[in-house]
Amino acid sequence: MKYQIIGKNIEVTDSIRAAVEEKLARMDKYFVITDDVDCRVVVRSYKVGAKVEITIFTKQMDFRTEVVNADLYVAFDFAIDKLEDQMRRLKTKMNRSKGGESLGRAVAWEEFEEEKEDEENDEIVRTKSIYLKPMTLDEAIIKMEAVGHPFFLYHDADDDRISVVYKRDEGGYGVIEAENRYKL
């Protein structure tokens, strides 16, 4: 896995780099490690505490988590734990899905563009663009869980509608479907 470690308001020292790479080595068992697997870690320092964002890019999918904690090294541990939990949930969902498809065949998108970050205010500060590849609801849920977001926009292959699957506060999932159909 290739690492890119970025410090914001903090210098990435050799000890920080070594700790990140050592802790991320635990994730190797979840991936077929090739030159195509990249990992970006952004470390931010605040007046009180630190924030760690980890994004693992593969051809099939991106995995992302972020953790804020008073101690930088504890934040690393929590972030790795969250990533491992995402992978366990993904594996369980994959095993339950029809046909038991492998991760490489069941989940595939890499169309997110660079994130734009600005100061917090009431204007739009981040825009993402995705390619809506047709997929089933189960595949959309798997991708949503993998990126750690509470919702996911997708093109439903079963009924040719643009749909959003989301996590309900009461548990379970909800789906919002467009009334008009979408043709590729």
Side-chain angles (χ1 to χ4, degrees), residues 28-40:
D28 286 351
K29 62 186 172 188
Y30 296 111
F31 301 99
V32 176
I33 301 300
T34 66
D35 288 338
D36 296 333
V37 178
D38 293 323
C39 179
R40 181 177 65 212

Side-chain angles (χ1 to χ4, degrees), residues 3-183:
Y3 299 104
Q4 177 185 21
I5 304 169
I6 301 165
K8 299 211 174 178
N9 298 333
I10 188 172
E11 179 184 343
V12 178
T13 63
D14 289 340
S15 62
I16 290 174
R17 182 174 302 281
V20 168
E21 290 178 4
E22 176 186 333
K23 292 174 190 298
L24 283 170
R26 290 178 18 198
M27 299 301 299
D28 286 351
K29 62 186 172 188
Y30 296 111
F31 301 99
V32 176
I33 301 300
T34 66
D35 288 338
D36 296 333
V37 178
D38 293 323
C39 179
R40 181 177 65 212
V41 179
V42 179
V43 181
R44 295 172 192 222
S45 177
Y46 298 110
K47 289 181 183 177
V48 178
K51 178 178 181 180
V52 174
E53 299 173 26
I54 300 174
T55 308
I56 298 174
F57 302 96
T58 69
K59 281 189 174 183
Q60 293 78 28
M61 183 181 309
D62 298 340
F63 298 92
R64 185 179 185 286
T65 188
E66 63 181 57
V67 173
V68 177
N69 194 287
D71 183 291
L72 176 65
Y73 295 96
V74 172
F76 286 144
D77 288 332
F78 286 160
I80 296 298
D81 290 345
K82 283 178 72 173
L83 281 172
E84 285 183 320
D85 185 52
Q86 284 179 8
M87 296 304 297
R88 277 191 293 276
R89 283 185 280 133
L90 179 63
K91 182 178 178 182
T92 301
K93 287 187 185 302
M94 294 300 300
N95 289 339
R96 288 185 194 160
S97 70
K98 300 174 195 163
E101 296 175 298
S102 71
L103 175 62
R105 285 197 348 233
V107 288
W109 51 253
E110 53 201 336
E111 286 77 16
F112 273 114
E113 294 186 5
E114 283 282 319
E115 295 179 0
K116 296 191 283 183
E117 294 185 31
D118 293 331
E119 293 183 21
E120 264 187 301
N121 55 31
D122 291 334
E123 61 185 306
I124 296 173
V125 295
R126 182 178 292 172
T127 301
K128 292 186 179 182
S129 174
I130 61 170
Y131 175 76
L132 294 179
K133 179 180 175 193
M135 66 182 70
T136 65
L137 175 60
D138 288 341
E139 290 170 320
I141 290 171
I142 288 168
K143 287 187 177 189
M144 177 182 68
E145 293 289 345
V147 295
H149 289 191
F151 67 92
F152 186 80
L153 176 69
Y154 69 104
H155 173 194
D156 194 312
D158 296 329
D159 63 4
D160 278 323
R161 295 179 192 265
I162 302 291
S163 300
V164 176
V165 62
Y166 61 94
K167 289 184 185 179
R168 294 178 48 86
D169 291 340
E170 308 80 44
Y173 300 99
V175 176
I176 301 170
E177 298 176 325
E179 288 186 22
N180 52 326
R181 302 212 185 269
Y182 179 76
K183 296 289 183 186

